[in-house]
């Protein structure tokens, strides 16, 4: 009931606002190329972080810039809700939000709607950053945001069990299957399953599906921007997941796994291999008894079907709302947020993967975070999720069809054919 | 009653006319005062009820943000789309999803309300009995109703988790939150658990106004327990029960939070009309969302109307008795 009211309120708000939007289009076009002017107080809008790094960042900025204070606006942790509130802010053309912390897949939508301002490319040295995160910052070749954090998946494995069975960490899914065969035969691996990822019907499924497809040499959206998912490679990839679930190599329950559930499965020693983001490393390493695998696991690059795999790219970019005031201050602030010093702090205090390449090679950091070389490789080779304006509907189509294949409601063949035709209807060129 | 006026002398009639007029002007004054006093309420109602409704209706005829210009920017402004969104929903691209949602909504409403009425009735009969610890039982039965739906959704999600208590008790490995009949069953169980107490409470109120003498007389006549239930309890509790059913049906038709939290978004087997509207709004397709919301509004209104007309649910019972007594009074005045 409460949600319905929220919907009608947002419908109401958009009804109020849209008539103005039509006549305001003229000066908005102007705004996109306008120099970023004005100094003074601004706001930084971001999702709540568990580590409290954002308040520290803002406090540090405010100490050094007393005349241009930044106020932190923390949105709920759920990505959907963050996106919705940012869109609502844009549709009411409110000045309340200045700097937006966007999930990297939203950049196209926000840029295409002119909800965020184009940035002066010459002021950013994009060569310092890893390639794939920079690509997410662009819309049609123009810079609309700066990558502030990144994320790539890695393969976590039970080093103790693999050593015991005398197998090397797998570099492909075929090897992973063989390794499982030998490990699960060990008496100490009784009752375990082989592999898990995140296969519940949500955004994580899209990342997992994209990884196997790209790892098999397939594509979801081709280089020309057209959907190209109905291919033998994608078929093989989807079949790997479907047959894995059917045979129990991937535990049946993982159809209901999001990040926390799949982490718990690995943490409690139920699976040998797990596909996850870097941020669980510290939780798994805890020696307070909460982790059954502390000191017994290691990470390696994500395996592909026959060779090395391709990770899906996560991460957040900072951008300036088109309707915020004091854009010159905002520009300085996003340079500060995405700069090397702050990225180091986000890694040290919040386990957030940096986008600046040199941080991965820092010996002090490598000492503390043994996974950094693997992560760097993962992000540098990662594939961004489809960069489309209607990402919301694209991800929904992928989730629908892939999930139907995983639950057996459709054959992989049918699901991919349906997905291809749905994507063709959604992606405009 | 009429004799009083009939025996009055003719002068009295004029006097009475004056009194009538005074009464009438006083009545008009009262009406005006009532109008003035009520106008803020009406204004607020108009603002929070009718404006959003009309604005949603208007929104459903428009479409926006669905074209890109040469540079890749969304073309601003909204376009009139007529009944396009409605056609899309009923017979166009969205038809399969829409009719699936209509079916789910109707199916959940029917199954849960039937189960709730049966269970609620049983609860009410138990609560009605005089026994030691009755207060405790009453309070206990009401607990599920007191918990917010989203929270009970979360609670049941843990119960129905792959390694949750439901699977432990059943000794099975059912993935309840996966798409399919088991997800529907999970939603029905959780919904009935949550709302049967509500039906129980309203029915209990109905039970408590049935005078004990009626039962005593029936016992004297030799009626058994089952017959007393069928011929006394049920007919006499019917008005209260029907109001409960009406409330529950209207509520169930808007079901959103429970399947959303318990099973998840975009699960075909549990997607209701509200979830569909929400989904479209999240994808910034307000036109389509408004169309779904409007269709749902009409559906709810239709069902409410049917329940009131066909079953004679006496929602505004008091208003009707007042009306009846006023009508009787005016008829008396005419006779006079």
């Amino acid at each position: 009931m409460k949600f319905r009211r929220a919907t009608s309120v947002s419908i109401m708000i958009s009804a109020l606002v849209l008539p103005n939007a039509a006549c305001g289009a003229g000066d908005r076009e102007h705004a996109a190329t306008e120099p970023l002017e004005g100094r003074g107080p601004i706001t930084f809008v971001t999702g709540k972080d568990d580590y409290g790094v954002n308040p520290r960042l803002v406090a540090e900025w405010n100490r050094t810039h007393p005349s241009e204070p930044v106020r932190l606006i923390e949105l709920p942790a759920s990505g959907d809700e963050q996106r919705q509130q940012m869109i609502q802010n844009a549709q009411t053309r409110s000045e309340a939000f200045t700097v937006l912390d966007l999930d990297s897949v939203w950049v196209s939508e926000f840029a295409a709607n002119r909800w965020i301002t184009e940035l002066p490319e010459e002021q950013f040295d994009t060569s310092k950053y890893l390639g794939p995160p920079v690509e997410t910052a662009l819309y049609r070749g123009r810079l609309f945001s700066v990558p502030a954090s990144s994320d790539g998946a890695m393969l976590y494995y039970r080093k103790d069990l693999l050593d015991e069975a005398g197998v090397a960490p797998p570099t492909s899914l075929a090897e992973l299957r063989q390794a499982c065969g030998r490990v699960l035969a060990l008496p100490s691996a009784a009752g375990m399953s082989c592999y898990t990822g995140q296969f519940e019907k949500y955004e994580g499924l899209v990342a997992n599906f994209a990884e196997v497809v790209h790892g098999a040499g397939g594509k979801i959206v081709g280089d020309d921007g057209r959907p190209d998912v109905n291919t033998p490679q994608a078929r093989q990839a989807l079949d790997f997941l479907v047959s894995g679930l059917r045979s129990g190599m991937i535990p049946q329950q993982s159809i209901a796994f999001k990040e926390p559930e799949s982490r718990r499965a690995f943490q409690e020693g139920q699976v040998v291999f797990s596909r996850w983001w870097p941020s669980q490393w510290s939780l798994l390493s805890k020696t307070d008894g909460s982790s059954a695998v502390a000191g017994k696991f290691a990470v390696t690059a994500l395996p592909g079907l026959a060779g090395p795999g391709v990770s899906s790219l996560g991460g957040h970019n900072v951008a300036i709302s088109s309707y915020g005031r004091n854009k010159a201050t905002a520009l300085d602030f996003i340079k500060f947020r995405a700069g090397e010093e702050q990225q180091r702090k986000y890694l040290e205090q919040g386990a957030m993967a940096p986008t600046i390449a040199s941080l991965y090679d820092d010996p002090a950091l490598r000492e503390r975070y043994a996974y950094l070389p693997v992560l760097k490789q993962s992000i540098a080779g990662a594939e961004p999720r489809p960069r489309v304006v209607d990402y919301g509907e694209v991800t929904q189509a992928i989730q629908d069809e892939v999930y139907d294949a995983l639950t057996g409601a459709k054959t992989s063949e049918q699901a991919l054919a349906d997905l291809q035709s749905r994507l063709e209807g959604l992606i405009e060129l | 009653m009429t004799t009083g006026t009939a025996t009055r002398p003719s002068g009295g009639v004029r006097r009475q006319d004056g009194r009538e007029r005074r009464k009438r002007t006083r009545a008009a004054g009262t009406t005006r005062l009532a109008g003035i006093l009520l106008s803020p309420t009406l204004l607020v109602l108009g603002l929070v009820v009718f404006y959003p409704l009309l604005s949603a209706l208007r929104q459903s005829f428009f479409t926006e943000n669905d074209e890109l210009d040469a540079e890749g920017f969304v073309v601003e402004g909204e376009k009139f789309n007529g009944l396009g969104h409605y056609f899309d929903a009923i017979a166009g691209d969205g038809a399969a999803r829409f009719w699936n949602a209509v079916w789910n909504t109707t199916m959940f409403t029917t199954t849960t309300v039937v189960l709730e009425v049966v269970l609620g009735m049983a609860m009410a009969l138990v609560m009605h009995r005089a026994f030691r610890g009755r207060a405790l039982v009453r309070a206990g039965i009401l607990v599920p109703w007191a918990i917010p739906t989203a929270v009970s959704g979360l609670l049941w999600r843990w119960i129905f988790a792959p390694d949750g208590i439901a699977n432990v008790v059943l000794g099975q490995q059912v993935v309840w939150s996966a798409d399919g009949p088991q997800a529907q069953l999970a939603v029905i169980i959780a919904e009935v658990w949550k709302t049967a107490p509500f039906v129980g409470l309203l029915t209990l109120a109905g039970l408590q106004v049935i005078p004990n003498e009626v039962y005593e007389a029936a016992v004297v006549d030799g009626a058994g327990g089952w017959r007393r239930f069928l011929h006394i309890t049920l007919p006499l509790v019917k008005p209260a029960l029907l109001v409960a059913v009406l409330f529950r049906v209207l509520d169930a038709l808007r079901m959103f939070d429970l399947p959303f939290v318990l099973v998840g978004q975009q699960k075909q087997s549990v997607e209701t009309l509200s979830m569909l509207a929400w989904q479209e709004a999240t994808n910034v397709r307000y036109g389509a969302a408004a169309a779904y919301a409007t269709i749902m509004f009409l559906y709810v209104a239709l069902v409410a109307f049917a329940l009131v007309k066909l079953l004679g649910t006496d929602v505004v019972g008091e208003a009707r008795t007042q009306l009846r007594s006023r009508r009787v009074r005016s008829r008396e005045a005419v006779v006079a």
Side-chain angles (χ1 to χ4, degrees), chain A residues 135-198:
Chain A
E135 275 180 58
T136 66
L138 309 173
Y139 178 64
R140 303 223 171 179
R142 293 155 76 172
L143 189 72
F144 276 89
S145 62
V146 187
S149 68
S150 189
D151 222 355
M154 306 187 289
L155 185 72
Y156 287 76
Y157 64 93
R158 289 291 298 275
K159 196 172 177 347
D160 57 333
L161 296 177
L162 259 66
D163 286 348
E164 198 180 329
V167 243
T171 56
S172 69
L173 289 174
E175 282 180 33
L176 180 140
R177 218 177 321 202
Q178 285 167 7
C180 275
R182 300 194 32 199
V183 170
L184 294 180
L186 294 172
S188 47
M192 288 178 79
S193 280
C194 175
Y195 169 82
T196 189
Q198 295 79 42

Side-chain angles (χ1 to χ4, degrees), chain B residues 21-294:
Chain B
R21 208 176 304 129
R22 261 204 312 281
K23 211 189 276 171
R24 222 174 292 144
T25 49
R26 207 189 306 140
T30 317
T31 316
R32 204 178 311 129
L33 182 67
I36 292 168
L37 288 176
L38 277 177
S39 57
T41 316
L42 292 176
L43 193 73
V44 169
L45 276 182
L47 214 62
V48 301
V49 176
F50 295 105
Y51 179 72
L53 269 179
L54 289 178
S55 132
L57 190 65
R58 180 194 160 278
Q59 186 79 46
S60 71
F61 298 131
F62 287 87
T63 181
E64 76 276 339
N65 304 343
D66 62 349
E67 268 174 49
L68 298 182
D69 64 15
E71 280 183 280
F73 291 112
V74 171
V75 179
E76 293 284 343
E78 47 181 9
K79 272 198 323 251
F80 185 68
N81 192 26
L83 290 171
H85 289 308
Y86 293 92
F87 281 127
D88 259 0
I90 291 165
D93 293 340
R97 232 178 142 199
F98 169 75
W99 288 112
N100 173 56
V102 172
W103 161 250
N104 283 341
T105 309
T106 316
M107 186 272 295
F108 280 137
T109 306
T110 328
T111 50
T112 57
V113 172
V114 167
L115 288 171
E116 279 156 28
V117 166
V118 174
L119 278 175
M121 190 78 205
M123 284 176 182
L125 290 173
V126 169
M127 287 191 281
H128 192 47
R129 280 276 160 77
F131 58 88
R132 265 156 68 96
R134 182 170 71 158
L136 207 67
V137 171
R138 280 189 190 180
I141 283 180
L142 274 178
V143 166
W145 178 247
I147 298 175
T149 311
V151 176
S152 61
L154 216 55
L155 205 81
W156 283 93
R157 196 172 76 187
W158 290 331
I159 293 175
F160 287 123
D163 49 359
I165 191 94
N167 279 343
V168 173
V169 169
L170 293 172
Q172 305 263 326
Q173 269 300 333
V174 183
V175 188
W176 294 93
S177 69
D179 222 349
Q182 80 281 17
Q184 294 177 334
L185 187 64
V187 170
I188 291 172
I189 291 173
E191 172 78 0
V192 170
W193 173 83
K194 187 187 142 45
T195 49
F198 172 78
V199 176
L201 192 71
L202 283 197
T203 317
L204 178 65
L207 281 181
Q208 281 175 338
V209 296
I210 303 176
N212 234 349
E213 295 85 49
V214 186
Y215 287 106
E216 283 159 13
V219 171
V220 170
D221 288 345
W226 181 240
R227 281 183 72 103
R228 278 189 310 233
F229 176 73
L230 270 191
H231 295 286
I232 300 173
T233 311
L234 216 48
L236 286 178
V237 86
K238 192 182 142 202
L241 199 59
L242 284 180
V243 170
V245 167
L246 178 70
F247 281 8
R248 283 310 313 145
V249 165
L250 298 193
D251 224 19
L253 285 173
R254 299 174 317 194
M255 192 190 287
F256 178 93
D257 15 15
L258 190 67
F260 190 91
V261 176
L262 179 57
V263 182
Q265 316 176 37
Q266 293 172 49
K267 299 277 174 76
Q268 228 196 340
S269 55
V270 297
E271 191 167 62
T272 62
L273 274 171
S274 311
M275 290 166 88
L276 198 55
W278 184 88
Q279 184 76 48
E280 291 295 89
T282 315
N283 282 337
V284 210
R285 287 161 42 99
Y286 295 126
Y292 286 130
T294 309

Side-chain angles (χ1 to χ4, degrees), chain A residues 41-157:
Chain A
I42 59 165
T43 58
F44 175 44
V45 186
T46 176
K48 193 160 175 49
D49 71 311
D50 298 337
Y51 302 93
V53 199
N54 291 324
R56 262 172 266 166
L57 165 95
V58 169
E60 194 181 328
W61 168 274
N62 288 343
R63 210 167 40 243
T64 45
H65 300 76
S67 63
E68 302 165 84
V70 171
R71 189 162 57 87
L72 179 68
I73 299 181
E74 280 195 313
L75 299 181
S78 135
D80 280 341
E81 282 177 57
Q82 293 168 22
R83 175 170 160 266
Q84 211 161 12
Q85 293 203 23
M86 289 179 183
I87 291 179
Q88 235 164 55
N89 175 76
Q91 288 185 328
T92 53
R93 314 182 119 220
S94 154
E95 291 173 357
F97 293 180
T98 323
V99 173
L100 305 177
D101 187 17
L102 300 174
D103 188 314
S104 55
V105 287
W106 305 337
V107 171
S108 296
E109 182 184 20
F110 276 68
N113 282 292
R114 297 179 201 269
W115 293 331
I116 51 179
T117 307
E118 190 173 347
L119 302 174
E121 211 165 333
E122 67 284 354
Q123 294 192 34
F124 293 92
D125 181 9
T126 46
S127 65
K128 284 197 304 185
Y129 295 86
L130 291 167
V134 172
E135 275 180 58
T136 66
L138 309 173
Y139 178 64
R140 303 223 171 179
R142 293 155 76 172
L143 189 72
F144 276 89
S145 62
V146 187
S149 68
S150 189
D151 222 355
M154 306 187 289
L155 185 72
Y156 287 76
Y157 64 93

